[in-house]
Every structure is written in structure tokens, then in C-alpha cells.
Amino acid sequence: MATLLSWLGRKDLDHMKADKPASIATIALKGKVLDRIIILANAWDDEWHDYQDWLMKKLACAGRSRTTVTIQRVRITSPIDYSSITKVMQKQLHAISVDADQIYLNLTSGSPTMAVISVLLGKSIGKCQLIQTSPKGDLIEVEIPVDFATEYTKTSTDALQELTSDNPKLDPAFGSITAKSTTMRHLVKKAQRLALSDLPALVLGESGSGKEVMATAIHNASSRADKAFRAVNCGALPESLVDSVLFGHVKGAFTGAGSDHAGLFEQADGGTLFLDEVGELPLNVQVKLLRALQQREITRVGDVKTKTIDVRIIAATHQDLFQMISEGTFREDLFYRLAVGVIEMPPLRSRVEDIPSLIDVLMTEINQQTEKHPLFDSKKISDDAIKFAQSYQWPGNIRELWNTLNRAVLWSESNSISAQDLQSSVLSACKSRAGSSAFTVPGDIQQHIDSIRKNAVHSALEYSRGNKSKAAEALGLKSHQTLSGWMTKLGIEE
């Protein structure tokens, strides 16, 4: 079956009124006999019926009455929007290719953007012929003397060779990742190579090891950097709302759905969706996620229509997905769909060389935050404290290091944090024994936290001489009412 696919141009309609063929009619009447003509249009719909009737009469007069003509309404953002036009053309070419022996793509009708997309997509289909017409009505079969696949491969190979060299040029997007250790340098090189592709990725690692930071860097170093990056912790989503949050819902889909809502897949269209703790997703949602990855389509809750989406998925988890697969709580087919590019974040205890640099970064951030609190001065960390940090196992990784430094800054009475300050700020019964990875909290954790809060409130009230507004400000609380609530809960008399 020979098929002509073309956008509807303004000249096609204007020439029809003068009973003269423009580009579409010229190809239909002078070119090879066609079985069908499919015309894509997004404007001038009040003239479509007249143009379809006129073209069919012209075909009948030329002895080509068996050629069918259809005009299809398509939705694009604008005639110069590459993203929406590409989606329309991909969908149309996929449908046509199923039963067409020969496809002709008209490059003359429509906008220049439409022509560019037709060239790029048409060149990837063996049975596709690009065709255009001249102002004099001549037919021209277009041959593009460039092998796009070869050129792309060459460019990608050059980039990969640069990445695998001894001194690769690191993308600025990875500047937020501390990589002094050999382990992290190799990992960043691997992640940068992954960023050049558009493949799904799976980031593995213990809690607090920096999985979201790595996912963000991969997005920022990719071709999608100027598009949206959306992140969600799957473990924090109520099971009843997971479907709606990810895929959206239509008005009236359930109680409380007062309007249509675009889910995270639609919000991240064209960009990247980061699914943290993906192992927490219910099995029924895993099925929908797999379909979204395979078909690039989603369906809002309560809707019957599918939506085409273009989203790169980066998933992350601290769980053993192989164990979950064996237990039947995680789909094996979804795992292999996600685990195309795998990045394994090392625990902090395996990258000791990075700890001094990490501490420098974290201490700078902490000091900037405490500048607004009159009770605290900017503090430094001593060499012996850094040595302790390098000897400790950090079961909570970078997150635990951050929290420990915050506590040390809060409680240290000196401008320099000592090893003893840091050690006493670690919430671990085995903190004095570097090398042990056990993690326990001395006594009841809530009592421990309340004790810290109680001491802080007493110090703030003493500093402010009983002025609760000033004490609340020193503690970083929103108001003196919040401080009063703390005092009541902690049993502190006013």
C-alpha cells in the first residue's frame, strides 16, 4: 500500500479556491498512484471538508478515484514546536508503517519545523521517500546525503572516548558531587557516560549515600537538562494515592477529585522523573510503570484515553531488589527494564578520602545557616575531629554526617569542633569504638530528642531573659506560640 503523509499548508487551501493544485494535489495527481493520502491539520478546520471534496474530484478526473483522502485533526503546541510535532509524526509513522509498502513524506506543505521533523524521522525508515514540489509544479524526490545514524555514532564515540581517558573533562553538572576517592571518580565517569544516553537508570545504595544528588546530576548533564526534573519518594506515598500522584486523574474519578490533575509523568514530560525507593511501589502500580516504560503511554485514573509521554526514568532504592523478586514483591520484568544503566553509590565508610572535602562543604552550609541565629558563632572543625570522622563507620552515611555536624555545632562551646565534640554528637552506643558498624540509640530515641530540645529551650530562655519571642527567634521557631507548645509538651514551666 502506497501512502502519502503530509501536513496541510495554507497554500494548499488558497490554491484550491482558484482551482489550482498546490503541493499536496501536485504529488497526488502527478506522482505515482497512491492508495491513500493522510493529511495532518491543526488549523483552518472550516475549510477541510471543501478541500477533501475538491481533491477527491481532481483524483477522479485523473483516473485515480481509488485513492482515499483523509484529513486528521492533530494537537500541537504551535507550528514551530519541535516536541509536539515530533510526537505527532512518530505516532503517525508508526501506525502507517504497519501496512504500508511505500511511504511518501511531503516536505513542502506545512511549517519549516514540520519539514525538519519529517526529514529526521523519514531518514530512519527504509521504505520512506521524501518528496517536495517546486513553485512551477515539478516533483522532486529528495535524497539527503547524510547518514544521521553514522554521524550520531561518531559523535557519541568521540564523547565516550573523552570520558574514558585518564583525565576526562567532567560535566559541570557533577560539580556538586565530592569525588576525591578513586571509587567516586570512577563512579562519576560512569554516571557521566550514562547521562549521554537516554536510557532508564537504577541508582542503588544505602540510605543517606546521595542517590538523589546523583540522579539530579545525571539529569543536569543530559540532553533533557532544560526540561523538568520531578522527584518523589515512593515509600512516602499513601497506597490509595500512588496511582493519582504518578499518572494523574480526571475530574470525578474519586471522592475529592474536583478537577483534572496532571500526574508526575505528565509534569516531567520531556524531562526526567526520579522515583526514590521504587521498591515500595505496590505491584499493581508496578504494572502501570512497566507499561509507561515500554509503551511511553499513561492513563489518568478515571480516564479511558491514553496520553503519550516522553519521560526518562531514574529509579533508586536501598533495598535488595533480587531478594524482593524472589519473594514476589517486585516484578522481575520491571527490574530489568529499569536496570539498564546501574549506578551503585558506595557507603561513606568505603570512600574515606572524600570525608575531609565533604566536611568542608557541609560545614560551610551549616555556618551559613547559623549566621542568623544570635546564639551561635561560625565554627571550624579541628584536624583531630576530621581524623575521628574518617575512622568512624557512618552507618547513616552522608545524612548521618550532616546531622552529627549540626549537633556538634549546636553544642560545642568552642569555635573549633574537637574530636570529642564530634564523637559525643554521634547517636550511637558504639561511637567510641571506630570500626563497628552497629547502630543503636542510647535509651529511648524520643526521650533523647526531647532532652536535646529541653536543654535548647532552657538555654534560649536564659539568653533572652525570659522573652519568649526572642527565645523563639534564637531557636529558629516560627513564633512564641510554637515555643509555648514545645514548653508544654516538654513540661517546662513558664
Side-chain angles (χ1 to χ4, degrees):
M1 178 177 285
T3 302
L4 169 66
L5 180 63
S6 174
W7 289 90
L8 181 63
R10 184 66 252 177
K11 284 187 177 180
D12 293 298
L13 298 175
D14 292 341
H15 279 56
M16 169 200 68
K17 296 173 183 177
D19 199 29
K20 294 180 181 179
S23 183
I24 296 176
T26 298
I27 297 171
L29 299 172
K30 290 186 177 181
K32 295 179 181 178
V33 177
L34 301 166
D35 294 293
R36 60 184 176 183
I37 299 172
I38 298 175
I39 303 171
L40 307 179
N42 69 301
W44 315 306
D45 48 332
D46 56 330
E47 301 176 67
W48 294 357
H49 183 71
D50 292 341
Y51 184 78
Q52 185 178 19
D53 284 349
W54 174 82
L55 183 55
M56 291 178 67
K57 289 177 183 177
K58 287 293 183 182
L59 287 166
C61 292
R64 301 188 175 194
S65 57
R66 72 181 185 89
T67 302
T68 62
V69 179
T70 58
I71 300 179
Q72 293 187 12
R73 180 188 300 276
V74 295
R75 299 189 182 279
I76 59 175
T77 304
S78 78
I80 60 172
D81 181 67
Y82 282 90
S83 179
S84 58
I85 292 171
T86 299
K87 290 178 183 178
V88 168
M89 288 296 291
Q90 285 176 326
K91 186 174 182 179
Q92 292 292 331
L93 287 170
H94 177 73
I96 292 172
S97 297
V98 174
D99 55 5
D101 301 314
Q102 181 67 50
I103 300 172
Y104 296 95
L105 275 183
N106 179 16
L107 303 182
T108 304
S109 297
S111 67
T113 303
M114 295 168 178
V116 169
I117 298 302
S118 296
V119 169
L120 292 174
L121 296 180
K123 279 282 289 182
S124 66
I125 302 174
K127 55 186 174 182
C128 185
Q129 173 64 58
L130 304 176
I131 193 166
Q132 63 186 18
T133 58
S134 70
K136 295 182 180 181
D138 297 322
L139 285 179
I140 304 170
E141 292 190 352
V142 181
E143 297 297 335
I144 308 293
V146 178
D147 188 334
F148 296 136
T150 301
E151 290 299 315
Y152 178 79
T153 301
K154 181 178 181 299
T155 303
S156 299
T157 300
D158 291 343
L160 291 176
Q161 286 176 346
E162 182 178 334
L163 275 175
T164 54
S165 65
D166 291 337
N167 297 299
K169 181 181 179 182
L170 293 180
D171 191 290
F174 290 92
S176 60
I177 297 177
T178 300
K180 301 292 184 183
S181 64
T182 302
T183 299
M184 284 303 296
R185 286 202 304 270
H186 287 320
L187 189 68
V188 169
K189 286 169 62 177
K190 184 178 178 181
Q192 187 168 355
R193 185 183 303 185
L194 178 60
L196 294 177
S197 75
D198 206 29
L199 299 171
L202 182 61
V203 184
L204 305 175
E206 296 179 4
S207 294
S209 56
K211 296 187 289 295
E212 184 169 353
V213 174
M214 178 60 76
T216 304
I218 292 172
H219 167 77
N220 290 336
S222 73
S223 59
R224 298 173 178 264
D226 60 337
K227 301 295 183 180
F229 177 86
R230 294 288 184 270
V232 61
N233 187 327
C234 300
L237 295 175
E239 186 170 347
S240 59
L241 296 179
V242 174
D243 235 358
S244 174
V245 171
L246 292 180
F247 306 109
H249 62 255
V250 296
K251 181 178 180 180
F254 50 83
T255 303
S259 61
D260 289 356
H261 169 71
L264 289 173
F265 269 90
E266 289 183 70
Q267 294 176 35
D269 195 19
T272 302
L273 176 57
F274 176 57
L275 300 175
D276 196 10
E277 297 304 339
V278 69
E280 301 290 341
L281 287 176
L283 284 170
N284 65 311
V285 179
Q286 292 180 31
V287 174
K288 289 194 173 185
L289 176 57
L290 180 63
R291 176 174 176 79
L293 283 165
Q294 291 177 333
Q295 307 296 329
R296 292 181 175 270
E297 291 180 345
I298 61 166
T299 304
R300 289 183 175 184
V301 177
D303 204 352
V304 295
K305 297 181 295 183
T306 61
K307 290 179 177 287
T308 303
I309 45 94
D310 172 27
V311 176
R312 182 186 193 175
I313 297 294
I314 301 179
T317 184
H318 75 283
Q319 296 175 293
D320 184 343
L321 292 184
F322 284 112
Q323 179 66 28
M324 294 182 67
I325 290 170
S326 66
E327 294 171 352
T329 56
F330 197 83
R331 293 182 62 94
E332 185 175 11
D333 48 4
L334 176 58
F335 170 78
Y336 286 111
R337 190 73 186 185
L338 289 171
V340 180
V342 179
I343 297 292
E344 296 187 56
M345 298 296 296
L348 188 55
R349 57 187 172 275
S350 298
R351 42 183 296 209
V352 175
E353 304 98 310
D354 292 325
I355 289 178
S357 296
L358 278 168
I359 288 177
D360 284 344
V361 173
L362 297 178
M363 284 299 295
T364 299
E365 293 179 4
I366 292 169
N367 281 325
Q368 288 175 348
Q369 290 178 5
T370 57
E371 282 179 356
K372 58 186 177 182
H373 297 297
L375 283 177
F376 305 114
D377 295 322
S378 178
K379 296 184 180 181
K380 298 180 180 180
I381 188 161
S382 65
D383 291 339
D384 62 337
I386 292 176
K387 289 179 181 178
F388 168 78
Q390 289 181 297
S391 67
Y392 181 64
Q393 291 294 294
W394 300 112
N397 295 295
I398 300 173
R399 186 180 294 119
E400 183 188 5
L401 174 61
W402 162 262
N403 289 332
T404 302
L405 288 171
N406 268 289
R407 284 190 291 272
V409 169
L410 176 64
W411 299 122
S412 175
E413 297 181 357
S414 170
N415 289 332
S416 178
I417 296 173
S418 67
Q420 181 59 39
D421 292 329
L422 197 61
Q423 184 176 346
S424 63
S425 299
V426 172
L427 293 182
S428 173
C430 58
K431 56 193 174 187
S432 61
R433 292 182 289 127
S436 172
S437 60
F439 179 79
T440 57
V441 177
D444 180 77
I445 187 170
Q446 190 58 53
Q447 290 180 1
H448 191 72
I449 294 172
D450 287 345
S451 176
I452 294 173
R453 286 184 175 181
K454 197 169 185 177
N455 290 334
V457 171
H458 280 307
S459 297
L461 288 171
E462 183 179 353
Y463 158 78
S464 66
R465 297 183 179 179
N467 186 317
K468 290 171 64 177
S469 295
K470 190 173 181 180
E473 181 181 356
L475 289 168
L477 302 179
K478 292 182 178 180
S479 65
H480 70 275
Q481 290 93 339
T482 304
L483 176 58
S484 295
W486 274 34
M487 294 172 66
T488 300
K489 184 177 180 181
L490 296 170
I492 300 174
E493 297 181 359
E494 298 190 16

